[in-house]
Amino acid sequence: MENMLRSCIIFIILQNGYSAINLAELSLQPIYQQKFIERPQNLTVIEGESVTLRCKIGNLGGKVQWSTDGFAMGYKLETIKSYCSKCAPRGNTHKGEFHLYVEDVELGRYNEFECQVSPDHSNAHQALRAKALLNVIVPPSRVELVNTERRISMNAGTEKQLSCRASGAKPQAKIVWYHGNNKILDQEYSKQITNGHREGTWDTVNTLKFKATSDDDSTRIRCVVEHPALKNKVMEKEIALTVFYPPGEPRIVGDTYQAFRQGDMINTTCISSGGNPPPYVSWFKDNIQLQYPHSKLENGSTVSHLYIRADQSLLTDVYNCKAWNKETSIALPSKNVKFNVTFSGDRVHIKGPDSGQIGSELTLQCSSEESNPPSVIKWTVDGIERHGTQEEVAVSEGGWRTTSVIKLRVDVNLSQMKVKCSAVNNLFKDVIQETKIIRILRPPEAPSISGLPSISLREGDNLTLSCISRHGSPLPMLKWFKQGEFIPSQTYSMVEDSHSIAKLFIVVSRTDNDMEYSCQASNEAHFPTVSQKTNFSVYFEPVDARLYLSMLSTAEGGPEVAHSTTGDRVQLNCQSRNSNPPAKITWFKNGKEVRGGAIDVKPGKYGGVKMSQVFKINEGNPITSEDNGSKFSCTASNPAINGNNVTKQYTLNVRYPPEFSFSSPGNYSVIEGDDITMSMEAKGNPAVRRFTWYAGVQPNQPLLMEQLPDRFKIRGPSMEIRKTARKDAGLYIFGAENDIGEKNKEIYLNVLYHPTIINLTSQIIVDEGEKAIFNCIVDANPISKESVSWGVVGARKFNLNESAVFTYDGNMTFTMTIPIVKKSDRGKFFCRADNRLQSAQPDQQQTVLKVNFKPEIRKFPRYAKFAQNLMHQINLECIAYGYPNVSIFWKKTGDLNAERYVFDNRGVTKQLDYGTWKSTLTIESVLNSDYTVYKCVARNTLGLDSHNISLTSPNIPDPPLNLVVTSKDYKTVRLKWEPGFDGGFQQHFETRIKEVKTGKVTIQRSEHSQVDRDSEFVFQDIIIEPDVEYAFSVKAVNVQGASDFSVEKLKALKASENKAKDESTVPRVIIVAIVLGSILFVIIKLMIITCCIKQRKENRRREEKKHERSSSLSSKRSMMIERYPPSKYANAFGTDMFISPPSNSGSTISDSHEPPDYKYLARSLSMPGQESDRGYTSHTGSCSVHGTLKRHISSGIDTTMEDDVFDNYSTGAEIKENGGPGFPVITADKMLKGGRGRSRAGSLSSPTHIPAPRLGISGLYTDHMERRKYSMAGSISPPNIPSPPPPVNTSTLGRKHQFPPPPLPNMLHCNGHINMIDVNDKKSAFEISNELTRRITELGRDRSVEPPDALGHLQLNNLPELPVFSNQSATRKYYDTRPNNASHFM
């Protein structure tokens, strides 16, 4: 029946239309309509929490769905999630429960919901709708102090505004201020409400005007936020208070009026109450601050303790203390105090004569030092109290000085008088006194000499002679004299009331035999001088030796030979000069002692003995090439004397075939393309005369120039190869030939070349965490693990040392392994090959590392917005990072397919670099509907990422975000912020710098108008003053205007920070102090060294003066000149002549390392007698000198005239004992003077070379001349003129002649003599000098006065080469014909 009814209704609708039927009139509705059993209710919920909206339907006939914010969400879970990702259905649908669960509720999104029930399919049930609103409350996002630091400092009585802001709350937050735990109700408040950063939220700022008192110091103020969404959560900010206030007036505590005894400690305290910061409390003396510390007590007071020792100066000093801090304009002073100090002087002082004669009157004065109260002076003489005057005088330093005078008559027959002065003070028990001894003069007794040896002395021994004189008042002064001349190098001392003693320390020499020494005693000018005399004898040692080479012969030696040949049998002959006892000869070969051969003994001079000994080289066997250059030496020493030795050296010359030097390399290296010269060094005796180069391959054929490429040049021992090639490497053979034979040497040439990279891994693609291995194959010579380096291309950060491992297989392959790859490692790397050859030519290639990772879109705030005017084109850019290739898609609400939108809907992007991709959405003509949000979605095979980008109309820029202020150094802060949206125009930034205390504002423009694409932050450095608090904020500016300033950030650089930041920088004053200190240290050290050197020279000079006295001759005996060969002066004078031996520490001839002092080189001239040992007489037919001829050199020492004022020319064909005549050659004297003649000190020169010099003011004089006429000006010389200095240490001297001279032509023998000036003729020293010069010149016309080789026997190894003189040209032939003599002996 029902179906039929329905069919009728349908038929009526089809025939008459829908409007013809009224369903209500048909009464087809069901009896029970669907209805709400439980409607959804409006709810209040805290953002972030979850909520369930309840909806229960009864008699459900249709379908139930929920809508949110006007959008129906559908019936299935998938469609619901597509519209509201946070929504999900809940409840039992069979019971009509269609609840909706909303999680993580968010303000402004999904806040309006509606439960909708549709009619059934037959419209029997009515549609139902029920709305529910979610009231979302938001707790404050943060609480912060506005323009207020967490720690503030205030002065007592001042006010400061404290602001606190609660941001982003809904509804508005309430801010309450607390002082400690108590609410602040008695202060002034102000409140400001503004829109929050998020839509629908509010920012609340509450400002408290706070007035500080001294009691508020070190307390805390809290800003507490109250809001229903906080529940029990506490949100607050705390401010620490520091209140500054001045200290109290200082007080001095303690007894300052008592009397203090000198030396006592005075302890006084100064105290000041309160004050913040804690005050400085310091003591002052006479308004000068003292360095005493201060400390703070628990009760808040500050104290400083004065610790001083009672002293005389306190009587006039004024003390007080002062307290201050930064709250006081001037320091607060205490009352002044002075201290009363009693003291006694430490000493008394007696003034008066130290000696006196019997019957004389003496006046003495005694003065005490300052004391308080004054002292009383008392006198005692030899134990008996005497009275003197008393006078007290006040002194400005405080205290009193007492003076007393007493007069005494010397009327006692004693050796001395003992006078005592005492100072007595009533307040002190100790008596201060001083004693003075007055001597009574008496004559001395005759001296006695001790210390003479019981046996003969040895040359070089130390001898100490003591001279003692007893009694006398004062004790006598003792002086030693040698041959009547005073000896300054002596020591003198006295034993009180007993005797005087003078000691003389002598280093004896052979010239000290029977020398007269005397000691004189005298005490001032009151009594006559008394003296005593003595003498002694000395042993001596050899002073010279000769060493030469001969063929194997007897002990006497054969003819001298210059060199030898391999196979010869040779020997060395050593001849020692006379010594007593006979000398011992010791042989050395190359520094090692060897045994000598046969010995020959002959008598010598002074009762000595001449010794000769041979040494057979190789024990008489034939010599070899290895013996060439062997160094031999013989040393002559006296076995009875532990002194210096005479050493002569000889270098053996052996002929041998060529030998190659060890310095000639067997291997050469050259860089390919460079030139190389292979030079070999081959030596032989005689020299190598021919060199040959051979090819290294068999057969070894000589390398001929015509057969070699033009690049090869052979020049004797050198072969040059220009522009070397790798094929030139290999073996070469070098041959050397002389008159004796030929020798060959193999040489290998190594050609080096620059590196070339043969292969490099082109690219590697890996996932994060995997390993990447790159291989680089290099060809180079040389090649090592240091030949290849790896690096990063570009500016990206990659630590090779930490992130990569490098290996080398020892051949050609170098490997870089990255064990764990990170996405930041992606990019180019390079392999660089460089074997560091000269003119380096490194090779470099690049490879790529690609890392797989899901896309990451660049989401900087400045790229979240774009701006453009209407009807203009705009390009929206989206940049993402990732690999493999990233596709970028664009979305927006509404249609994105209009022709105005140009983009690649396939997601194709532009690759900017490895892992960086870019997509551009172009809007060709911007409309109002385009000002909306666009979504950029980046996707690759590993994942996706999205980012919302807004398009707006051009406007002012957004404020910068996240401003951070940090300290950079002691005077600079660094600002960092994120740039915001630029408003569609180019923007720049301005920084506001405000001094918090003064409010002074400075605007500084940043130069960062353009920011790098990948840089998230902008940095700016600003220089500020220390100890000043600043508030910094930044705004952005474009052509449209400026943004708001960012939130202020406060920063101050404290002085302590300045010091800490600058610890690594050394202050300039410290650097200057260090430099000046170093210079001062060097100057002081140089001064000390100079003083030590001067002192050492002075000691040596004194020692030499002491020694030279031992070498001078008496008036009855002349010093002998010993010259070698013995015939040097024998031919001229008919007998031997001798040289004064050295006296410096024995002055024996040895290889001493001490440099010779040529300054004192001088010798004495006289003739030996045959019988007398006390003097020397002239022989018939010889040249003699009557009297000792002396001169005064520049050092102020008188020396005897040198032996070489006479020549040794002989008549006829006389030849020297060594076979040489006296012909002109370069002498050692010329070597010392740097020319042919003598120095300007007044010595003589031979007239055969240059005219005799004109003797100066300090010219020659004799022992019989009056020495008071010493200078042209007539000045009087000292009464005791020093004796000649010791001869030079001849261990470093030797002959320069190395060839036998020919016989001399007949010359007239000298039978005359130099007549001395008649002392009775009272002429001036200048006239005497001229007369001597004239007579010597006249004598030289008949014979040579000075032999040119007078010093030729002296060995001068350390002197420079001599100049060649023109007057030797006539004798040059003797140089050429003389064989080489390495012994330097003639």
Side-chain angles (χ1 to χ4, degrees):
M1 189 66 180
E2 183 177 357
N3 292 333
M4 292 177 64
L5 181 60
R6 289 178 178 175
S7 299
C8 292
I9 294 173
I10 293 173
F11 177 77
I12 294 173
I13 292 174
L14 293 175
Q15 291 293 324
N16 301 297
Y18 178 80
S19 58
I21 301 298
N22 189 341
L23 296 179
E25 295 177 355
L26 294 177
S27 300
L28 296 178
Q29 294 183 352
I31 300 176
Y32 301 103
Q33 285 286 325
Q34 56 186 10
K35 61 180 179 180
F36 285 109
I37 298 177
E38 185 176 1
R39 285 176 173 272
Q41 301 294 321
N42 295 334
L43 299 177
T44 298
V45 61
I46 299 174
E47 185 179 34
E49 293 183 351
S50 299
V51 66
T52 300
L53 296 174
R54 303 181 65 82
C55 182
K56 189 174 182 180
I57 309 299
N59 301 326
L60 178 62
K63 291 185 178 181
V64 179
Q65 69 171 354
W66 285 86
S67 67
T68 176
D69 297 336
F71 292 95
M73 294 187 289
Y75 305 100
K76 296 183 179 180
L77 177 63
E78 292 78 5
T79 58
I80 293 174
K81 284 290 187 179
S82 66
Y83 284 94
C84 178
S85 60
K86 300 181 180 182
C87 301
R90 291 285 189 275
N92 189 342
T93 57
H94 297 290
K95 295 181 179 181
E97 296 176 350
F98 293 91
H99 309 318
L100 181 66
Y101 175 76
V102 183
E103 63 176 348
D104 190 15
V105 176
E106 182 179 350
L107 177 65
R109 189 177 183 187
Y110 310 132
N111 295 156
E112 180 179 346
F113 293 89
E114 186 177 62
C115 182
Q116 300 175 352
V117 183
S118 66
D120 59 351
H121 63 277
S122 60
N123 289 328
H125 291 273
Q126 296 179 355
L128 301 179
R129 295 175 180 268
K131 289 187 177 181
L133 298 179
L134 293 183
N135 179 26
V136 181
I137 62 175
V138 181
S141 59
R142 60 179 176 176
V143 60
E144 59 184 347
L145 299 175
V146 180
N147 298 328
T148 305
E149 289 289 338
R150 296 290 298 275
R151 304 182 66 88
I152 62 174
S153 300
M154 302 176 60
N155 295 332
T158 61
E159 290 183 348
K160 177 170 284 192
Q161 289 187 349
L162 309 179
S163 297
C164 182
R165 177 166 57 202
S167 303
K170 179 189 176 186
Q172 302 171 4
K174 181 182 179 181
I175 297 177
V176 181
W177 291 92
Y178 286 83
H179 192 174
N181 293 323
N182 301 319
K183 280 188 178 182
I184 301 177
L185 302 176
D186 57 347
Q187 302 280 6
E188 182 180 345
Y189 296 90
S190 63
K191 182 178 179 182
Q192 181 182 2
I193 306 298
T194 59
N195 292 329
H197 181 70
R198 294 175 57 189
E199 184 178 356
T201 62
W202 304 90
D203 293 347
T204 302
V205 178
N206 193 309
T207 300
L208 170 67
K209 186 180 292 185
F210 184 79
K211 185 174 183 180
T213 65
S214 59
D215 295 334
D216 296 328
D217 184 36
S218 300
T219 61
R220 297 183 181 275
I221 295 178
R222 293 184 299 138
C223 162
V224 181
V225 179
E226 297 179 356
H227 193 273
L230 290 176
K231 297 184 178 180
N232 296 325
K233 180 180 176 182
V234 177
M235 180 176 284
E236 64 180 14
K237 285 292 182 179
E238 192 174 67
I239 302 173
L241 284 178
T242 299
V243 181
F244 300 114
Y245 58 96
E249 182 177 345
R251 309 184 311 277
I252 297 177
V253 180
D255 186 3
T256 59
Y257 298 99
Q258 64 174 327
F260 298 94
R261 191 182 184 91
Q262 186 172 17
D264 292 348
M265 288 301 300
I266 300 176
N267 182 3
T268 305
T269 301
C270 178
I271 183 169
S272 175
S273 301
N276 185 33
Y280 293 93
V281 177
S282 182
W283 283 93
F284 288 77
K285 182 180 78 172
D286 297 331
N287 288 327
I288 298 176
Q289 186 175 358
L290 303 178
Q291 299 301 319
Y292 287 96
H294 62 274
S295 59
K296 187 175 181 180
L297 303 181
E298 293 182 357
N299 61 3
S301 299
T302 304
V303 298
S304 179
H305 301 284
L306 175 66
Y307 297 96
I308 55 174
R309 191 172 296 277
D311 186 72
Q312 173 185 354
S313 62
L314 298 184
L315 292 172
T316 58
D317 294 337
V318 177
Y319 288 82
N320 69 347
C321 74
K322 298 179 181 180
W324 70 94
N325 65 5
K326 70 176 185 179
E327 298 302 312
T328 58
S329 58
I330 59 173
L332 304 176
S334 69
K335 64 178 182 179
N336 296 334
V337 295
K338 295 181 70 174
F339 300 99
N340 182 25
V341 179
T342 62
F343 59 94
S344 175
D346 295 332
R347 294 184 58 190
V348 294
H349 305 276
I350 301 178
K351 297 181 180 179
D354 296 327
S355 63
Q357 296 183 357
I358 297 176
S360 62
E361 183 178 72
L362 307 178
T363 300
L364 302 178
Q365 176 182 301
C366 181
S367 299
S368 70
E369 293 185 344
E370 295 82 357
S371 64
N372 184 28
S375 300
V376 177
I377 294 180
K378 297 182 179 181
W379 293 89
T380 59
V381 180
D382 292 333
I384 301 175
E385 184 174 352
R386 298 289 185 91
H387 297 284
T389 63
Q390 295 282 337
E391 182 181 3
E392 299 174 353
V393 178
V395 295
S396 59
E397 295 82 3
W400 303 80
R401 182 182 294 116
T402 305
T403 304
S404 177
V405 178
I406 187 173
K407 294 186 177 181
L408 301 174
R409 180 171 296 277
V410 182
D411 54 2
V412 293
N413 191 16
L414 299 174
S415 61
Q416 64 182 21
M417 296 176 62
K418 186 175 182 181
V419 180
K420 181 185 297 184
C421 171
S422 303
V424 181
N425 197 308
N426 295 333
L427 294 182
F428 298 90
K429 297 180 180 179
D430 298 335
V431 176
I432 303 170
Q433 60 186 15
E434 182 177 347
T435 302
K436 184 177 183 66
I437 304 298
I438 302 175
R439 297 176 304 168
I440 301 176
L441 303 177
R442 286 181 174 77
E445 294 183 357
S448 62
I449 297 176
S450 62
L452 293 173
S454 59
I455 59 175
S456 296
L457 292 170
R458 291 167 174 78
E459 190 173 30
D461 284 354
N462 294 321
L463 176 64
T464 302
L465 298 179
S466 299
C467 176
I468 301 177
S469 177
R470 303 183 183 278
H471 306 299
S473 180
L475 290 175
M477 174 65 70
L478 301 178
K479 295 181 180 179
W480 278 99
F481 294 85
K482 179 180 179 180
Q483 293 299 110
E485 294 186 2
F486 173 72
I487 304 174
S489 56
Q490 55 183 294
T491 60
Y492 169 76
S493 62
M494 293 187 300
V495 178
E496 188 176 0
D497 298 331
S498 176
H499 63 274
S500 299
I501 182 170
K503 292 186 178 182
L504 181 63
F505 300 95
I506 306 172
V507 179
V508 298
S509 66
R510 65 192 72 190
T511 60
D512 286 325
N513 280 328
D514 296 327
M515 187 65 62
E516 178 183 279
Y517 286 85
S518 62
C519 177
Q520 295 181 359
S522 64
N523 58 350
E524 301 179 357
H526 301 286
F527 307 99
T529 300
V530 292
S531 63
Q532 184 64 271
K533 301 179 180 180
T534 187
N535 59 9
F536 50 86
S537 60
V538 180
Y539 281 166
F540 57 90
E541 60 188 3
V543 294
D544 199 4
R546 182 188 177 202
L547 177 62
Y548 67 94
L549 180 70
S550 68
M551 292 299 173
L552 201 61
S553 180
T554 63
E556 297 181 359
E560 181 178 358
V561 295
H563 55 77
S564 56
T565 308
T566 54
D568 290 345
R569 301 174 185 269
V570 294
Q571 70 179 22
L572 288 172
N573 307 277
C574 184
Q575 298 176 351
S576 171
R577 300 312 181 197
N578 65 318
S579 66
N580 184 28
K584 175 186 176 182
I585 296 178
T586 306
W587 289 89
F588 294 89
K589 178 181 179 182
N590 295 327
K592 295 183 179 180
E593 184 175 354
V594 293
R595 185 186 299 274
I599 297 176
D600 181 58
V601 180
K602 292 181 181 180
K605 299 178 182 180
Y606 301 110
V609 175
K610 297 180 180 179
M611 299 288 296
S612 297
Q613 189 179 24
V614 301
F615 175 77
K616 296 180 181 180
I617 298 178
N618 288 347
E619 298 181 353
N621 296 321
I623 59 177
T624 66
S625 61
E626 294 182 358
D627 296 318
N628 184 58
S630 296
K631 297 184 181 299
F632 296 88
S633 64
C634 71
T635 300
S637 60
N638 194 320
I641 301 176
N642 185 19
N644 295 328
N645 303 324
V646 180
T647 300
K648 295 295 180 180
Q649 297 181 348
Y650 187 88
T651 302
L652 188 61
N653 181 17
V654 181
R655 294 163 59 88
Y656 60 93
E659 293 181 357
F660 296 103
S661 172
F662 290 106
S663 62
S664 298
N667 296 294
Y668 281 87
S669 295
V670 64
I671 299 176
E672 186 177 23
D674 289 352
D675 300 342
I676 185 173
T677 300
M678 295 185 290
S679 298
M680 304 304 298
E681 183 178 349
K683 61 180 181 178
N685 197 5
V688 178
R689 60 182 173 83
R690 184 169 63 189
F691 302 97
T692 307
W693 288 85
Y694 300 92
V697 296
Q698 295 293 336
N700 303 127
Q701 296 294 332
L703 298 176
L704 303 178
M705 287 295 298
E706 57 271 13
Q707 300 175 356
L708 294 173
D710 294 338
R711 299 184 295 109
F712 286 75
K713 298 292 182 182
I714 297 178
R715 298 180 182 88
S718 299
M719 180 168 67
E720 179 185 5
I721 305 176
R722 295 193 299 271
K723 296 182 180 180
T724 54
R726 302 182 190 184
K727 63 182 180 180
D728 298 332
L731 181 66
Y732 296 84
I733 298 176
F734 171 74
E737 180 182 0
N738 69 353
D739 295 340
I740 307 225
E742 181 181 6
K743 292 291 181 67
N744 295 330
K745 181 180 179 66
E746 293 184 351
I747 305 168
Y748 183 78
L749 176 61
N750 182 22
V751 179
L752 310 176
Y753 50 90
H754 295 286
T756 301
I757 297 178
I758 300 175
N759 185 31
L760 174 63
T761 304
S762 60
Q763 72 172 13
I764 293 180
I765 303 175
V766 296
D767 293 334
E768 279 195 284
E770 291 184 349
K771 179 190 296 185
I773 301 176
F774 296 89
N775 292 322
C776 185
I777 302 176
V778 177
D779 181 21
N781 184 25
I783 186 170
S784 66
K785 63 179 181 180
E786 288 81 15
S787 299
V788 168
S789 61
W790 296 82
V792 176
V793 178
R796 74 181 193 279
K797 297 180 180 180
F798 182 81
N799 193 322
L800 289 171
N801 295 329
E802 295 180 358
S803 302
V805 178
F806 306 96
T807 58
Y808 170 54
D809 67 350
N811 187 14
M812 300 172 64
T813 302
F814 298 81
T815 303
M816 178 180 73
T817 303
I818 305 177
I820 302 176
V821 174
K822 297 177 291 187
K823 61 186 177 184
S824 59
D825 299 340
R826 67 188 187 277
K828 287 186 178 181
F829 294 85
F830 67 81
C831 171
R832 177 185 173 90
D834 186 2
N835 54 5
R836 295 174 177 81
L837 293 180
Q838 188 178 4
S839 301
Q841 298 177 9
D843 190 11
Q844 179 173 311
Q845 293 186 14
Q846 295 182 0
T847 182
V848 178
L849 173 62
K850 299 180 179 179
V851 183
N852 296 325
F853 64 97
K854 69 177 184 178
E856 296 176 0
I857 296 178
R858 185 181 62 192
K859 299 178 180 179
F860 298 163
R862 64 180 183 274
Y863 296 125
K865 288 183 180 181
F866 286 83
Q868 184 56 279
N869 293 315
L870 293 173
M871 307 306 294
H872 286 73
Q873 179 175 306
I874 181 66
N875 294 326
L876 305 183
E877 293 182 353
C878 179
I879 296 178
Y881 308 103
Y883 196 85
N885 295 2
V886 175
S887 299
I888 299 179
F889 302 91
W890 291 89
K891 295 182 180 181
K892 79 178 270 287
T893 303
D895 183 16
L896 193 60
N897 297 320
E899 293 181 356
R900 295 181 298 102
Y901 299 100
V902 179
F903 65 98
D904 194 317
N905 54 13
R906 297 170 302 169
V908 177
T909 57
K910 178 181 179 181
Q911 184 174 1
L912 301 181
D913 56 28
Y914 297 99
T916 304
W917 315 86
K918 174 182 175 181
S919 178
T920 303
L921 170 62
T922 301
I923 305 175
E924 294 183 346
S925 178
V926 176
L927 302 178
N928 283 325
S929 60
D930 295 327
Y931 292 140
T932 184
V933 178
Y934 299 82
K935 177 178 287 189
C936 165
V937 179
R939 177 184 291 113
N940 67 2
T941 57
L942 300 180
L944 60 84
D945 190 15
S946 63
H947 179 49
N948 290 334
I949 299 176
S950 299
L951 175 62
T952 65
S953 59
N955 205 334
I956 62 174
D958 289 349
L961 304 173
N962 301 325
L963 173 64
V964 177
V965 183
T966 57
S967 300
K968 182 178 180 182
D969 55 34
Y970 68 96
K971 63 179 180 179
T972 308
V973 294
R974 167 160 289 183
L975 276 62
K976 181 181 77 171
W977 67 86
E978 285 188 83
F981 172 51
D982 59 8
F985 303 98
Q986 181 173 308
Q987 65 177 346
H988 67 271
F989 304 98
E990 294 182 357
T991 302
R992 183 177 65 191
I993 309 158
K994 181 172 67 177
E995 295 184 12
V996 175
K997 185 174 182 180
T998 63
K1000 179 181 177 181
V1001 175
T1002 303
I1003 302 297
Q1004 184 170 331
R1005 175 168 175 168
S1006 170
E1007 298 300 328
H1008 300 282
S1009 58
Q1010 293 185 355
V1011 184
D1012 183 73
R1013 183 192 70 184
D1014 296 321
S1015 297
E1016 183 176 2
F1017 296 97
V1018 170
F1019 297 89
Q1020 183 179 12
D1021 293 340
I1022 297 178
I1023 298 176
I1024 63 174
E1025 295 294 329
D1027 292 326
V1028 178
E1029 188 175 34
Y1030 293 87
F1032 300 92
S1033 59
V1034 183
K1035 71 176 180 180
V1037 180
N1038 65 11
V1039 295
Q1040 292 285 354
S1043 70
D1044 294 337
F1045 278 99
S1046 64
V1047 177
E1048 286 187 331
K1049 298 293 183 180
L1050 275 66
K1051 185 65 179 178
L1053 293 179
K1054 302 298 182 182
S1056 59
E1057 287 182 342
N1058 300 343
K1059 183 175 181 181
K1061 301 256 184 200
D1062 205 24
E1063 284 180 348
S1064 60
T1065 303
V1066 180
R1068 182 176 299 177
V1069 66
I1070 296 179
I1071 297 176
V1072 174
I1074 292 174
V1075 172
L1076 293 179
S1078 302
I1079 295 174
L1080 182 60
F1081 173 77
V1082 173
I1083 293 174
I1084 294 174
K1085 190 172 183 179
L1086 291 176
M1087 293 174 63
I1088 293 173
I1089 294 174
T1090 303
C1091 293
C1092 292
I1093 293 175
K1094 287 185 177 180
Q1095 184 63 34
R1096 183 178 297 175
K1097 287 184 177 180
E1098 181 67 18
N1099 294 339
R1100 186 174 67 179
R1101 187 185 66 81
R1102 292 177 180 174
E1103 189 70 16
E1104 290 171 348
K1105 283 186 178 181
K1106 180 178 72 175
H1107 293 161
E1108 72 188 30
R1109 303 301 175 249
S1110 65
S1111 62
S1112 63
L1113 295 174
S1114 67
S1115 60
K1116 297 180 181 180
R1117 185 173 185 177
S1118 299
M1119 297 185 67
M1120 310 304 294
I1121 301 178
E1122 179 179 354
R1123 298 297 307 272
Y1124 290 97
S1127 61
K1128 163 79 174 167
Y1129 287 99
N1131 295 334
F1133 295 96
T1135 183
D1136 290 342
M1137 303 191 71
F1138 301 82
I1139 187 171
S1140 173
S1143 62
N1144 185 8
S1145 301
S1147 297
T1148 54
I1149 303 174
S1150 68
D1151 290 330
S1152 171
H1153 296 291
E1154 181 179 351
D1157 191 351
Y1158 299 110
K1159 178 177 164 182
Y1160 299 112
L1161 182 63
R1163 286 164 293 278
S1164 301
L1165 176 66
S1166 66
M1167 300 308 305
Q1170 295 178 347
E1171 303 294 340
S1172 173
D1173 60 351
R1174 304 289 295 176
Y1176 299 87
T1177 61
S1178 300
H1179 287 251
T1180 304
S1182 65
C1183 290
S1184 63
V1185 176
H1186 297 280
T1188 304
L1189 189 60
K1190 297 185 177 180
R1191 68 176 178 176
H1192 188 80
I1193 65 176
S1194 59
S1195 63
I1197 300 177
D1198 297 67
T1199 65
T1200 57
M1201 182 173 132
E1202 296 153 340
D1203 63 330
D1204 48 350
V1205 298
F1206 292 103
D1207 202 353
N1208 59 344
Y1209 292 139
S1210 58
T1211 59
E1214 269 185 88
I1215 304 299
K1216 291 185 180 180
E1217 187 175 280
N1218 62 357
F1223 66 97
V1225 294
I1226 303 169
T1227 66
D1229 184 82
K1230 294 174 183 177
M1231 296 166 66
L1232 294 175
K1233 304 300 191 298
R1236 295 178 294 175
R1238 294 294 180 205
S1239 70
R1240 53 195 174 96
S1243 62
L1244 302 177
S1245 298
S1246 170
T1248 60
H1249 295 347
I1250 59 175
R1254 185 176 185 84
L1255 299 181
I1257 301 307
S1258 57
L1260 303 175
Y1261 56 86
T1262 67
D1263 288 340
H1264 304 289
M1265 295 168 57
E1266 287 185 348
R1267 303 183 181 182
R1268 64 178 177 270
K1269 297 180 179 179
Y1270 185 72
S1271 66
M1272 175 181 285
S1275 61
I1276 305 302
S1277 62
N1280 296 317
I1281 298 177
S1283 298
V1288 71
N1289 186 336
T1290 57
S1291 61
T1292 61
L1293 305 178
R1295 298 191 67 83
K1296 295 295 290 183
H1297 297 225
Q1298 301 179 2
F1299 43 87
L1304 279 177
N1306 293 336
M1307 300 187 75
L1308 178 62
H1309 194 292
C1310 174
N1311 291 322
H1313 60 269
I1314 299 177
N1315 294 323
M1316 304 310 297
I1317 306 300
D1318 185 3
V1319 298
N1320 295 323
D1321 184 11
K1322 302 300 183 179
K1323 297 181 179 180
S1324 68
F1326 185 77
E1327 293 171 340
I1328 295 173
S1329 174
N1330 291 339
E1331 182 66 17
L1332 281 175
T1333 303
R1334 182 184 62 78
R1335 295 188 185 185
I1336 293 171
T1337 305
E1338 291 175 354
L1339 179 62
R1341 294 172 183 169
D1342 297 330
R1343 63 175 301 281
S1344 177
V1345 177
E1346 178 180 357
D1349 62 344
L1351 296 180
H1353 69 290
L1354 301 178
Q1355 181 180 351
L1356 304 175
N1357 295 330
N1358 297 326
L1359 294 178
E1361 284 298 323
L1362 299 175
V1364 177
F1365 301 100
S1366 59
N1367 59 357
Q1368 296 177 0
S1369 59
T1371 58
R1372 178 59 64 187
K1373 59 184 179 180
Y1374 301 129
Y1375 284 82
D1376 301 332
T1377 58
R1378 182 171 180 85
N1380 181 27
N1381 184 350
S1383 67
H1384 300 285
F1385 188 84
M1386 187 172 180

